[in-house]
Amino acid sequence: MANTIDLTTAINWISTWRRSPDTGVKAFFIPVIDFSSLMQDKNCIGVRAYLAFGNTDGNPAEAKLLLVDVEGDINTGGTDNLNNGIYDFTRPCPSYCDVTSPLYTLDGSGQYPIVPGNTIDIRTAVDWATQWRLTPDTNVKAFFIPKDDITDLLKDSSCIGVRAYLGWGGSDSKNPEAKLMMVNVDGNINTGGTDNITNGIFDFTRPCPSYCDVTSSLYTLIP
């Protein structure tokens, strides 16, 4: 399958991230076609994104968001289906960035409409992104993203993909959690495009811990 890596490579990259996370990474760009490829299985309930660090063909190592198909009970985060492939699609920022985006610059002074659904306002998003960059949560292993939420994100016909920003926060200030905030991206796919904040900043993701598949090789790092 195109854009997939083998289990041994995935485990190596994930192990490398957990030993020494890349605290300089701000976001990941994920093209529309890559999400579509992942969710072709009718039993798919969503996608799990594992944080990793590595690269292929002797290229310099970089931050990765390895994506796998998830099946089963959505309330617990489901079970990884590694038989459908481990996808290495994502392009990290640096260097596939929108350097004008308020989620990159951490400038939350702009005015953007509140979009119905699982969205948050720009000031909340900037605060969460700021907290991550000040103190990354090195315990987070992965994020579960429900299929319906991805579909909702991609419904704009001009969308070329999604940018996922790392954050740290939540509605309960005493119990913050890792966040993967997602925005629509328009424009040139070769440069990573431009964030379309007016379509909403989506807070869908469920972090691992605690929405995990503890039997998955990508969690246990045992082939």
Side-chain angles (χ1 to χ4, degrees):
M1 289 177 286
N3 294 328
T4 60
I5 58 173
D6 61 69
L7 179 59
T8 300
T9 299
I11 288 174
N12 181 48
W13 290 2
I14 293 169
S15 299
T16 301
W17 176 275
R18 293 184 192 173
R19 285 196 302 269
S20 183
D22 180 2
T23 56
V25 68
K26 296 177 174 64
F28 296 90
F29 172 68
I30 310 167
V32 167
I33 192 172
D34 297 339
F35 265 137
S36 300
S37 298
L38 253 178
M39 299 191 301
Q40 286 178 351
D41 190 324
K42 66 179 181 179
N43 295 319
C44 174
I45 62 167
V47 169
R48 185 126 42 226
Y50 284 90
L51 291 156
F53 192 78
N55 218 333
T56 56
D57 301 326
N59 294 314
E62 62 181 0
K64 297 284 188 181
L65 210 60
L66 305 182
L67 305 178
V68 294
D69 194 10
V70 178
E71 300 177 359
D73 185 356
I74 198 168
N75 295 313
T76 62
T79 303
D80 293 357
N81 184 349
L82 302 186
N83 293 327
N84 284 352
I86 304 166
Y87 287 77
D88 169 28
F89 296 130
T90 51
R91 305 176 186 183
C93 168
S95 53
Y96 293 91
C97 307
D98 172 9
V99 297
T100 66
S101 172
L103 297 179
Y104 180 92
T105 63
L106 301 182
D107 178 6
S109 62
Q111 298 298 313
Y112 298 94
I114 301 298
V115 177
N118 296 327
T119 62
I120 56 176
D121 63 77
I122 185 64
R123 290 174 182 81
T124 298
V126 166
D127 179 59
W128 291 359
T130 300
Q131 293 307 312
W132 177 275
R133 292 179 203 177
L134 289 173
T135 311
D137 180 5
T138 56
N139 293 316
V140 67
K141 295 177 173 64
F143 294 90
F144 172 67
I145 312 165
K147 184 176 182 178
D148 287 348
D149 297 339
I150 295 171
T151 302
D152 196 31
L153 246 180
L154 304 180
K155 63 186 178 184
D156 189 324
S157 61
S158 64
C159 173
I160 63 166
V162 168
R163 186 125 40 227
Y165 285 90
L166 291 158
W168 177 241
S171 56
D172 183 354
S173 60
K174 294 182 179 179
N175 295 290
E177 62 181 2
K179 297 286 187 180
L180 204 64
M181 301 173 288
M182 309 188 109
V183 294
N184 232 190
V185 178
D186 300 337
N188 186 349
I189 197 168
N190 295 315
T191 61
T194 304
D195 293 358
N196 187 344
I197 304 294
T198 57
N199 280 357
I201 304 165
F202 290 77
D203 171 27
F204 296 133
T205 50
R206 305 176 185 183
C208 168
S210 53
Y211 293 93
C212 307
D213 174 8
V214 297
T215 66
S216 173
S217 293
L218 301 184
Y219 179 92
T220 63
L221 302 182
I222 301 172

